[in-house]
């Protein structure tokens, strides 16, 4: 048993080292290079690139917006699909999952036309809403809610609890681990957006994100490497902080 446990820990350590190697390599290269360009990245801006603080703020707004909107919509959609008798319910779920097979990169032209028609180009709303059109969260939450004990929900209804009370007093508390896992996942999804921020803000360079800002720098320069290292840190921190919630949230799906 001790030998098996040692082997498991060794595999985990090697896996962590393998996953963290690119970040460590980037940081090492930046520290060994001329830091003047890195300081300019932090303190100055150009006609096509805002300073680092502005890019961090834009990335944070998009990441939080995508995480909150996607999780909220997914939670309400899953609740409706599981606990309400909706007409044509069997056909609704496949339609919700359809955007999973059509990522925003494959529908970039119609998405930009619709965003422009709604007057949402160069706005945070236009950067957030098109990215939220996926049904992954609904699929995961629907599966989790279908595993909730039906006796609890039925008892609450017999006691006179309405749909909103059932949702806030029973569904929401019982779904917190899955919700936390989805928030972390969707935060990283929003943070890592690259192509859409570049296209959706054609006349607002101040809307550049940390990830899209890398394309505005000379590839391989100390500034681009430093920005790439900075872009990798927030998702890593989010997953480190939320790893326990993520494990609990994924546990029902393993059953």
């Amino acid at each position: 048993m001790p030998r098996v446990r040692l082997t498991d820990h060794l595999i985990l350590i090697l896996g962590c080292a393998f996953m963290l190697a690119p970040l460590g390599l980037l940081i090492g290269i930046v520290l060994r290079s001329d830091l003047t360009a890195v300081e300019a990245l932090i303190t100055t801006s150009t006609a096509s690139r805002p300073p680092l603080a502005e890019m961090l703020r834009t990335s944070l707004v998009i990441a939080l917006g995508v995480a909150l909107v996607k999780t909220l919509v997914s939670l309400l959609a899953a609740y409706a699909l599981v606990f309400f008798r909706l007409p044509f319910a069997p056909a609704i779920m496949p339609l919700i999952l359809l955007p999973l097979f059509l990522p925003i990169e494959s529908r970039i032209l119609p998405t930009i036309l619709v965003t422009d028609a709604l007057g949402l180009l160069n706005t945070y709303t236009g950067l957030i809403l098109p990215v939220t059109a996926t049904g992954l969260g609904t699929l995961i939450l629907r599966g989790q809610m279908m595993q909730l004990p039906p006796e609890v929900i039925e008892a609450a209804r017999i006691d006179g609890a309405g749909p909103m009370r059932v949702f806030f007093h029973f569904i929401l508390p019982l779904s917190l681990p899955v919700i936390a896992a989805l928030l972390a996942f969707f935060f990283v999804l929003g943070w890592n957006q690259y192509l859409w921020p570049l296209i959706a803000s054609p006349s607002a360079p101040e809307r550049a994100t940390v990830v899209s800002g890398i394309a505005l720098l000379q590839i391989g320069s100390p500034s681009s490497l430093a920005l790439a290292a900075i872009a990798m840190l927030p998702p890593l921190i989010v997953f480190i902080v939320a790893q326990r919630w993520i494990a609990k949230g994924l546990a029902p799906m393993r059953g």
Side-chain angles (χ1 to χ4, degrees):
M1 182 65 69
R3 182 176 297 178
V4 174
R5 186 172 298 177
L6 178 63
T7 303
D8 292 342
H9 282 78
L10 181 60
I11 293 173
L12 290 173
I13 292 172
L14 291 176
C16 291
F18 179 77
M19 295 298 293
L20 293 175
L23 178 59
L25 180 63
L26 274 177
I27 294 176
I29 293 175
V30 171
L31 292 178
R32 291 196 303 268
S33 62
D34 182 12
L35 296 181
T36 304
V38 180
E39 294 175 0
L41 171 68
I42 298 174
T43 57
T44 63
S45 61
T46 65
S48 61
R49 176 186 59 78
L52 178 60
E54 190 70 25
M55 288 190 288
L56 285 171
R57 187 180 72 173
T58 301
S59 295
L60 186 61
V61 170
I62 295 175
L64 289 175
V66 169
L68 293 174
V69 172
K70 283 177 71 69
T71 304
L72 178 61
V73 172
S74 300
L75 187 61
L76 295 176
Y79 178 54
L81 288 171
V82 174
F83 295 103
F84 292 89
R85 296 180 179 178
L86 300 177
F88 309 107
I92 293 177
M93 195 62 205
L95 291 176
I96 293 177
L97 294 177
L98 185 60
L100 282 175
F101 304 96
L102 297 170
I104 193 168
E105 291 79 9
S106 65
R107 48 184 168 86
I108 199 74
L109 182 58
T111 303
I112 198 71
L113 292 175
V114 172
T115 306
D116 185 28
L118 294 175
L120 297 179
L121 289 181
N122 305 311
T123 66
Y124 284 123
T125 304
L127 290 171
I128 293 171
L129 287 184
V131 185
T132 62
T134 61
L136 179 62
T138 304
L139 177 66
I140 294 175
L141 282 166
R142 177 176 174 268
Q144 187 268 340
M145 290 182 187
M146 292 178 68
Q147 298 181 20
L148 296 178
E151 298 83 6
V152 177
I153 309 301
E154 188 62 28
R157 289 175 173 173
I158 293 175
D159 289 339
M164 297 308 296
R165 184 179 174 187
V166 171
F167 178 78
F168 284 107
H169 288 262
F170 296 96
I171 303 299
L172 200 58
L174 293 172
S175 304
L176 280 180
V178 181
I179 293 172
L182 287 177
L183 283 171
F185 177 77
F186 290 148
F187 178 91
V188 175
L189 177 67
W191 180 273
N192 288 336
Q193 288 300 309
Y194 169 73
L195 182 61
W196 180 244
L198 288 174
I199 296 177
S201 300
S203 51
E206 69 276 6
R207 294 285 188 267
T209 65
V210 176
V211 176
S212 65
I214 299 174
L216 305 176
L217 298 168
Q218 182 181 356
I219 302 300
S221 65
S223 297
S224 66
L225 295 176
L227 196 58
I230 293 171
M232 296 172 66
L233 289 176
L236 180 63
I237 294 172
V238 167
F239 271 103
I240 290 175
V241 172
Q243 59 180 331
R244 182 173 299 179
W245 289 96
I246 293 173
K248 290 182 179 178
L250 296 179
M253 289 183 290
R254 293 199 297 266

